[in-house]
């Protein structure tokens, strides 16, 4: 649901973040995830692409290419924020995560989910539940909101340090 201007701003912000990581002395592992699989596999609600041998894309030019593909290919598949958070958290808890390093998920969205159920309240609740699961497991979530003001509150809730009471 983001405008083309928002998508361009999101791409610029993503590339700037990749450049930031490329400039630090000890390069962190960085992956790019997407809604609708990669690149635009609508049968998969979210994914973190890996190279053919199962390793994260750690060359920064490959990350920029992946970012361009993700932002250019799946604007019509809808956004399942819960699946995206779960996919990112699963990657951070996979064998590819380096023990002893923090698990950080930088989540970029308009904060207006349209999936998994198509019911806005249920989809927001699913995203909050996925975020709680990740945070309770030690993953830090930072959110970056792009788009209109509709999703700002949800994006803040996904990233804050507290969890909802059930």
């Amino acid at each position: 649901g983001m405008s083309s201007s928002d998508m361009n701003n999101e791409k610029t912000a993503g590339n700037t973040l990749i450049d930031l990581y490329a400039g630090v002395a000890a390069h962190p592992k960085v992956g790019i995830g997407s809604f609708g699989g990669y690149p635009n596999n609508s049968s998969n609600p979210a994914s973190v692409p890996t190279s053919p041998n199962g390793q994260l894309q750690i060359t920064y030019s490959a990350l920029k290419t992946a970012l361009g593909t993700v932002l250019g290919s799946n604007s019509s598949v809808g956004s399942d924020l819960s699946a995206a958070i779960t996919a990112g958290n699963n990657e951070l808890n996979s064998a590819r995560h380096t023990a002893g390093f923090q698990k950080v998920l930088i989540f970029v969205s308009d904060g207006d989910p349209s999936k998994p159920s198509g019911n806005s309240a249920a989809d927001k609740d699913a995203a909050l539940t996925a975020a709680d699961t990740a945070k309770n497991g030690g993953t830090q979530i930072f959110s970056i909101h792009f788009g209109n003001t509709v999703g700002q509150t949800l994006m803040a809730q996904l990233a804050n340090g507290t969890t909802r009471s059930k």
Side-chain angles (χ1 to χ4, degrees):
M2 291 195 293
S3 71
S4 61
S5 176
D6 290 331
M7 294 291 278
N8 285 333
N9 290 338
E10 185 177 23
K11 184 176 180 180
T12 298
N15 282 320
T16 301
L17 187 60
I18 291 167
D19 288 341
L20 173 73
Y21 285 126
V24 298
H27 293 306
K29 289 183 182 175
V30 178
I32 305 253
S34 71
F35 296 110
Y38 179 77
N40 197 18
N41 174 0
S42 61
S43 66
N44 185 4
S47 69
V48 177
T50 57
S51 65
N53 63 0
Q55 297 300 308
L56 284 178
Q57 299 283 354
I58 56 173
T59 62
Y60 293 94
S61 61
L63 286 168
K64 286 185 173 187
T65 299
L67 180 67
T69 301
V70 165
L71 291 176
S73 68
N74 48 5
S75 60
S76 65
V77 299
S79 55
D80 183 343
L81 286 102
S82 62
I85 292 167
T86 298
N89 189 51
N90 288 345
E91 182 61 39
L92 288 167
N93 286 288
S94 76
R96 289 181 288 277
H97 176 72
T98 304
F101 283 70
Q102 292 181 335
K103 299 177 208 171
V104 176
L105 176 63
I106 300 173
F107 191 64
V108 181
S109 172
D110 65 357
D112 191 17
S114 58
K115 292 185 178 187
S117 71
N119 174 294
S120 180
D123 295 343
K124 289 176 184 177
D125 189 59
L128 289 166
T129 298
D132 285 349
T133 298
K135 289 186 276 187
N136 287 333
T139 296
Q140 297 177 63
I141 300 176
F142 296 86
S143 66
I144 300 173
H145 175 264
F146 278 95
N148 60 38
T149 60
V150 172
Q152 286 179 337
T153 299
L154 179 60
M155 291 299 285
Q157 290 170 323
L158 295 174
N160 73 22
T162 61
T163 56
R164 299 173 300 138
S165 52
K166 302 271 179 195

